[in-house]
Amino acid sequence: MNPFHYVQTLETATSVNQVSGAPEATFLAGGTGLLDLMKLGVQKPNVLVDVRKLPLAQVEELPDGGVRLGAMARNSDVAHHPLVRERYPALSQALLAGASGQIRNMATVGGNVMQRTRCAYFRDTANACNKREPGSGCSALEGINRSHAVLGGSESCIATHPSDMCVPLAALGATVRIQGLKGERTVPFTDFHLLPGTTPQRETVLEHGELILSVDIPALPAARRSLYMKARDRASYAFALASVAAVLEVDAGRIKNARLALGGVGTRPWRASAAEQKLVGQEPSPTLYQAAAEAALEGAQPRAHNGFKVELARRLVVRALTTLGGRS
Ligand SMILES: Cc1cc2nc3c(=O)[nH]c(=O)nc-3n(C[C@H](O)[C@H](O)[C@H](O)COP(=O)(O)OP(=O)(O)OC[C@H]3O[C@@H](n4cnc5c(N)ncnc54)[C@H](O)[C@@H]3O)c2cc1C
Ligand code: SF4
């Protein structure tokens, strides 16, 4: 392992200054993703600024009825928080479907949003990978790409965004609150993660040294009826092959509000806006749910080993909508 300096800070501004001032410095939160990548030699920061003790661990109600998830709040605390369980059950379910109990006790909201892809070629420095080493090529395009993305990929990179938590956050219309040297800014969650295009090494809109302060979820009464479904290789713990977060509000026999996002199939948490548009204003029915599922996967580009994900994701969408909205 490469040598590095470790500092712990108690103030947000100090953390931002310390990482901004050193090009190879980075934030350390729960360490469940970063330390693995350091051990593998994928990331080699020379300064670790430990932000775990910053006063950003609260889950709290916002004046408009929304909920603020502090960046340092642990995944397990968020999953079990009464505000989250009552108002956004899909978020609680997604968190509990992710990783293991021990990891969720360490992992934080900010670290989960910022987690890197699980592409095996990215994590093995013996392989070419444009994300790890720009311009070196993508081993997954012609390699074993069973776990890779069918939506949002490019000829440079087809890695999936691995987070479960980020899927409902995309569906719920969350925003990310960020602090940098010039002050605070907010970014809609669906704009926060970037498509790979020709620059897969640039994964989010964060500039070097910017710190996530919180993820804010708006008031959305319909989300009290929401759910998260995840298909994976084993039940104990595994990343999603495909997943869906869904919100469905039916009023007087018609769909009044629909929110859908997919995980495991996209290069970023994938809001399925075209599917939502198919649903709103219509009478719930199996045919409608199938049409929404087709729309959600429109434009999918499967590779040699991941074609099954297209049908798997469609079926998850239909099952989630059927569970929430009924069959007729
Ligand atoms: C065995 C295993 C199984 C897993 N399974 C799943 C799964 O099924 N589903 C799933 O979603 N996840 C899974 N994970 C991933 C896990 O959820 C992430 O590792 C975790 O969420 C990262 O959070 P952390 O606080 O430990 O971040 P860290 O590892 O400390 O940091 C991760 C990255 O985020 C940056 N960062 C952290 N906080 C901030 C901030 N506030 N602002 C800006 N940058 C920040 C760090 O600099 C670093 O680059 C698994 C992990 C392991 C090891
Ligand atoms: S899919 Fe992306 S992360 Fe994986 S090898 Fe290709 S460039 Fe690297």
Side-chain angles (χ1 to χ4, degrees), residues 117 119 121-122 128-131 137-140 148 156-159:
T117 182
C119 170
Y121 301 110
F122 169 76
C129 170
N130 288 324
K131 191 183 275 299
C138 170
S139 303
H148 288 73
S156 296
C157 179
I158 52 169

Side-chain angles (χ1 to χ4, degrees), residues 225-247:
R225 269 180 69 69
S226 62
L227 63 75
Y228 184 71
M229 285 183 166
K230 172 175 177 179
R232 51 186 156 175
D233 279 328
R234 57 178 184 191
S236 57
Y237 67 91
F239 287 87
L241 293 168
S243 69
V244 59
V247 175

Side-chain angles (χ1 to χ4, degrees), residues 117-123 127-133 136-141 145 148-149 154-160 196 200-201 203 267:
T117 182
R118 304 301 287 200
C119 170
Y121 301 110
F122 169 76
R123 293 170 66 85
N127 291 292
C129 170
N130 288 324
K131 191 183 275 299
R132 181 170 26 76
E133 201 180 322
S136 64
C138 170
S139 303
L141 289 174
N145 44 37
H148 288 73
S154 71
E155 285 309 309
S156 296
C157 179
I158 52 169
T160 49
Q201 72 280 8
E203 295 173 339
T267 51

Side-chain angles (χ1 to χ4, degrees), residues 26-27 29-34 99 108 112 114-115 163-164 212 230 239:
T26 197
F27 300 113
T32 63
L34 180 59
T108 62
N112 194 296
M114 290 297 290
Q115 68 172 292
S163 167
D164 289 297
I212 298 174
K230 172 175 177 179
F239 287 87

Side-chain angles (χ1 to χ4, degrees), residues 168-240:
L169 290 177
L172 294 167
T175 54
V176 187
R177 203 164 55 97
I178 298 163
Q179 183 166 330
L181 286 178
K182 294 179 196 152
E184 270 187 47
R185 65 182 178 121
T186 56
V187 176
F189 197 80
T190 43
D191 294 343
F192 183 81
H193 297 97
L194 301 174
L195 293 171
T198 54
T199 53
Q201 72 280 8
R202 185 155 164 67
E203 295 173 339
T204 72
V205 298
L206 276 196
E207 299 295 339
H208 179 68
E210 282 191 312
L211 180 78
I212 298 174
L213 299 174
S214 69
V215 176
D216 296 351
I217 315 175
L220 186 64
R224 287 173 189 258
R225 269 180 69 69
S226 62
L227 63 75
Y228 184 71
M229 285 183 166
K230 172 175 177 179
R232 51 186 156 175
D233 279 328
R234 57 178 184 191
S236 57
Y237 67 91
F239 287 87

